[in-house]
């Protein structure tokens, strides 16, 4: 067995954090959590220093629902990607 050496570069790491394949995975996960949470919630995928997916309550009713029943945490827990 031979050892494989991997040299990480700043550009390579940035590509991993912001690249298309990563964005695709984050987008699919965000879509799945949103589907489990319901239509009262919104979803958004943003790219800055890395790709991030957000699912948020879009109305006061949805915020109360989430506070009472932990809807977003439950939706995230039920999500399998």
């Amino acid at each position: 067995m031979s050892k494989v050496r991997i040299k990480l570069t700043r550009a390579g790491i940035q590509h991993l954090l912001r690249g298309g394949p990563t964005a695709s995975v984050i987008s699919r996960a965000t879509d799945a959590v949103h589907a489990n949470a319901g239509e009262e919630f919104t979803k958004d995928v943003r790219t800055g220093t890395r790709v991030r997916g957000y699912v948020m309550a879009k109305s006061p009713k949805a915020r109360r629902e989430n506070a009472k029943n932990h809807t977003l945490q439950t939706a995230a827990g039920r999500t399998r990607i």
Side-chain angles (χ1 to χ4, degrees):
M1 291 188 158
S2 63
K3 292 184 179 181
V4 177
R5 292 184 180 254
I6 298 173
K7 183 175 181 181
L8 298 176
T9 63
R10 180 175 292 272
I13 292 170
Q14 287 177 351
H15 180 70
L16 284 174
L17 294 175
R18 290 189 226 166
T22 303
S24 175
V25 170
I26 298 298
S27 181
R28 281 195 325 242
T30 303
D31 290 344
V33 171
H34 180 254
N36 285 333
E39 290 301 316
E40 305 87 33
F41 298 88
T42 62
K43 62 182 176 179
D44 189 19
V45 177
R46 300 177 191 164
T47 303
T49 56
R50 60 184 170 200
V51 179
R52 297 176 188 190
Y54 298 92
V55 178
M56 304 160 278
K58 67 179 176 182
S59 68
K61 180 182 175 187
R63 284 191 285 280
R64 285 191 299 272
E65 166 69 23
N66 186 51
K68 182 178 179 183
N69 297 317
H70 306 286
T71 307
L72 290 174
Q73 293 87 343
T74 303
R78 276 192 260 141
T79 301
R80 300 288 179 254
I81 57 168

